[in-house]
Amino acid sequence: MSISVMLMQLIKGLGVTAEIFFLTLIFSLPLGLLVSFGRMSKNALVRTISKIYISIMRGTPLMLQLIVVYFAPFYVFGLKIPNYRFPAIIIAFALNYAAYFAEIYRSGIESMPAGQYEAAKVLGYTKAQTFMRIILPQVIKRILPPVTNETITLVKDTSLAFVLAQAEMFTMAKQIAAKETSIMPLMAAGLFYYIFNLIVAFAMERLEKALNYYK
Amino acid sequence: MPDSKKILLQIDHIRKAFDGVEVLKDISLSVREGEVVSVIGPSGSGKSTLLRCATMLETMDGGSLSYLGEQAAFEEDGKCVYVPKKKLREIHKNFGLVFQNFNLFPHYSVMKNIIDAPVTVDHVPKKEARERAEKLLLQLGLSDKADAYPCQLSGGQQQRVSIARALALQPKILFFDEPTSALDPELTGEVLKVIKELAKEHMTMIIVTHEMQFAREVSDRIIFMEQGVIQAEGTPDEIFHSSNERVREFIGKFQS
């Protein structure tokens, strides 16, 4: 196999990797906010459920979660869902990352000074307006560094989808490496992951700078 | 102050305890339109708690509270009952509060800090809110700061912006919770000057302060609080020449 054919296949795999990455962010960022509300809820039942959810998601391997989400519908409920492989991967990643993001949101929200809520209350903002207009924008600025961390980890974690034989970049690299008995494809994949993360880090740095107009 | 003026704020027999410690014990107070009332007293006397109960940042344990004759909270079976949220929202519009540490919104420019509540909460057209804000900024000597962010301003400027933010909602009563306690003496002056100007325009104000001389100059009435009760109340002259030994002792400390 020529190098250019190998690279083409890796790049095809990179496309799937990017898809997993972006879809996971799109679903887990809002879901994480929801879970963080549950975690901070006044209702003890909601709070406990959220805590257990976060505990399981952070306490068990993501690889195992991928397997459970993919196989549980059939082995537990006898359900056969067509074309389920890719959705299962997105569901598992989103559920897992939401737990981590939930704790990041919570740390950000709880770090907000009470005075901001009080000022908004006296000015007549509703609770929803206070959160959307006053609290959330400031929370986003505060949590950007830990979110960057998670996002960079996610780029690398997408490789775990190989356990369900999804044709993302790592799976492709492993297959080619086995066929060609060469470590080159894996090294090339490593380089692609690295470049992907350079771009992520650069984008997040830009975002941080853009929010630096206030303290 | 003529009694013919409308009563804007009426507080009756309010009580408040934190973890069993009584901070306010049976406080009653009424404030008429145009009146400037200062609340003085040692730290921990309950002054700030009184203000926070009046502005509904704290829920009272007992007593009643009403603005312009509209009841916000009343006592029933020894407990304090607040009227439904929707009603409270309406009552909230009667007053504004200026905090000790400003509590400006750091992610909003000065202009946005001032117009956001009128536009979002009161649905004032943006253009009108902006004109109103420009007038306030001019009045408070901040015309050149409209596009600045709070972190770029001095403490005194920030406090003046927070006064403008409160005034933009056109409240009938303005509360001040130790408005100069976070400022150095130089910056204190510029904020006190603004409050004095508001007093001249007959803005109804209730000011918790440690600035004795200022309280004396600006107030129609001074309330001296200690240990959760109003120990003395009267015109500045009455308070500054009080026969109450504790009042004399407290004021004396500040004059020496």
Side-chain angles (χ1 to χ4, degrees):
Chain A
M1 188 187 286
S2 71
I3 286 186
S4 65
V5 173
M6 178 196 88
L7 286 180
M8 279 314 292
Q9 290 201 349
L10 284 183
I11 285 168
K12 233 168 88 189
L14 182 61
V16 179
T17 293
E19 239 177 297
I20 297 172
F21 172 79
F22 284 112
L23 285 172
T24 300
L25 284 185
I26 287 168
F27 290 115
S28 63
L29 282 170
L31 184 61
L33 189 58
L34 222 62
V35 175
S36 82
F37 287 153
R39 178 75 177 73
M40 295 181 289
S41 168
K42 280 185 194 134
N43 183 318
L45 182 70
V46 175
R47 209 166 53 233
T48 308
I49 291 172
S50 310
K51 248 172 124 168
I52 292 171
Y53 171 81
I54 292 169
S55 169
I56 291 173
M57 284 299 156
R58 297 200 305 179
T60 60
L62 176 51
M63 197 189 284
L64 179 62
Q65 292 166 17
L66 280 159
I67 293 169
V68 168
V69 171
Y70 185 53
F71 290 108
F74 180 73
Y75 286 103
V76 179
F77 305 105
L79 280 175
K80 266 191 186 158
I81 308 167
N83 299 322
Y84 183 51
R85 189 193 311 270
F86 190 72
I89 288 167
I90 301 304
I91 291 168
F93 269 102
L95 290 178
N96 179 277
Y97 271 79
Y100 285 93
F101 285 138
E103 286 297 85
I104 294 175
Y105 282 122
R106 183 172 70 92
S107 72
I109 291 169
E110 287 181 347
S111 77
M112 287 296 296
Q116 292 287 304
Y117 290 95
E118 290 182 349
K121 189 179 175 202
V122 172
L123 291 169
Y125 289 88
T126 63
K127 276 195 173 154
Q129 286 168 340
T130 303
F131 187 76
M132 294 309 291
R133 304 185 69 84
I134 310 300
I135 305 300
L136 188 60
Q138 296 184 59
V139 165
I140 288 172
K141 179 184 163 84
R142 283 171 189 227
I143 65 175
L144 227 41
V147 165
T148 302
N149 257 338
E150 284 307 315
T151 310
I152 284 172
T153 304
L154 173 60
V155 171
K156 295 173 289 176
D157 273 358
T158 56
S159 64
L160 290 172
F162 92 91
V163 76
L164 299 184
Q166 175 67 47
E168 44 69 56
M169 186 164 59
F170 188 73
T171 309
M172 299 295 265
K174 247 183 66 159
Q175 278 173 7
I176 303 167
K179 201 158 58 186
E180 304 285 315
T181 54
S182 155
I183 200 166
M184 266 302 289
L186 286 166
M187 299 301 280
L191 185 65
F192 281 140
Y193 282 116
Y194 182 70
I195 293 169
F196 195 155
N197 264 333
L198 277 185
I199 296 168
V200 168
F202 176 76
M204 295 304 275
E205 207 184 302
R206 284 288 292 269
L207 194 54
E208 258 182 70
K209 274 201 184 128
L211 291 177
N212 254 348
Y213 67 90
Y214 72 90
K215 274 192 202 101
Chain B
M1 193 52 42
D3 287 350
S4 58
K5 289 274 189 185
K6 205 162 44 169
I7 292 179
L8 296 188
L9 168 68
Q10 181 74 44
I11 290 172
D12 285 305
H13 309 295
I14 68 169
R15 290 178 283 116
K16 175 71 183 173
F18 291 109
D19 299 322
V21 180
E22 274 200 291
V23 182
L24 296 179
K25 304 166 192 166
D26 193 31
I27 301 262
S28 298
L29 170 70
S30 70
V31 177
R32 289 178 186 274
E33 195 170 12
E35 223 181 344
V36 177
V37 178
S38 291
V39 185
I40 61 171
S43 298
S45 60
K47 313 180 295 287
S48 284
T49 307
L50 172 63
L51 211 79
R52 290 174 60 84
C53 283
T55 53
M56 297 188 263
L57 288 175
E58 301 285 352
T59 49
M60 313 180 293
D61 298 335
S64 65
L65 169 68
S66 58
Y67 282 91
L68 290 90
E70 291 261 12
Q71 209 150 42
F74 54 92
E75 179 139 354
E76 202 176 75
D77 302 328
K79 269 200 208 153
C80 191
V81 183
Y82 283 81
V83 299
K85 245 188 188 164
K86 208 174 157 199
K87 196 85 184 287
L88 281 182
R89 194 163 286 287
E90 282 305 308
I91 292 172
H92 249 112
K93 292 186 178 170
N94 291 313
F95 62 82
L97 170 61
V98 174
F99 295 86
Q100 181 177 340
N101 44 10
F102 332 132
N103 291 335
L104 289 174
F105 303 133
H107 58 307
Y108 284 169
S109 68
V110 165
M111 178 56 83
K112 180 99 167 146
N113 260 284
I114 299 171
I115 67 169
D116 196 62
V119 172
T120 316
V121 177
D122 281 354
H123 308 292
V124 175
K126 211 167 178 180
K127 192 166 164 258
E128 194 189 320
R130 194 169 268 279
E131 283 166 7
R132 219 192 267 176
E134 274 161 8
K135 229 182 255 172
L136 284 167
L137 286 173
L138 185 69
Q139 187 187 342
L140 302 189
L142 293 163
S143 287
D144 54 333
K145 299 293 181 197
D147 298 322
Y149 283 87
C151 62
Q152 299 165 321
L153 303 178
S154 73
Q157 289 168 333
Q158 288 190 50
Q159 192 58 299
R160 283 185 281 152
V161 173
S162 90
I163 293 171
R165 180 175 72 171
L167 288 172
L169 288 163
Q170 303 179 322
K172 303 229 164 41
I173 304 184
L174 197 49
F175 292 91
F176 292 84
D177 187 7
E178 300 192 22
T180 60
S181 291
L183 304 175
D184 65 43
E186 210 172 345
L187 301 176
T188 295
E190 65 184 58
V191 171
L192 296 184
K193 199 178 127 219
V194 164
I195 301 174
K196 278 182 201 162
E197 276 161 18
L198 290 173
K200 265 187 221 151
E201 293 167 21
H202 306 293
M203 179 79 206
T204 311
M205 294 185 283
I206 299 169
I207 308 162
V208 169
T209 185
H210 286 298
E211 298 287 333
M212 294 302 139
Q213 204 46 48
F214 163 74
R216 187 176 192 170
E217 283 171 39
V218 79
S219 314
D220 297 305
R221 186 150 50 109
I222 295 179
I223 288 169
F224 175 77
M225 275 184 78
E226 186 163 45
Q227 291 171 344
V229 294
I230 295 176
Q231 297 277 4
E233 181 174 359
T235 63
D237 270 349
E238 283 165 357
I239 291 292
F240 276 75
H241 301 104
S242 177
S243 55
N244 182 323
E245 196 158 322
R246 184 62 192 109
V247 176
R248 276 217 312 269
E249 191 193 350
F250 180 75
I251 289 173
K253 271 182 199 155
F254 282 89
Q255 285 176 332
S256 60

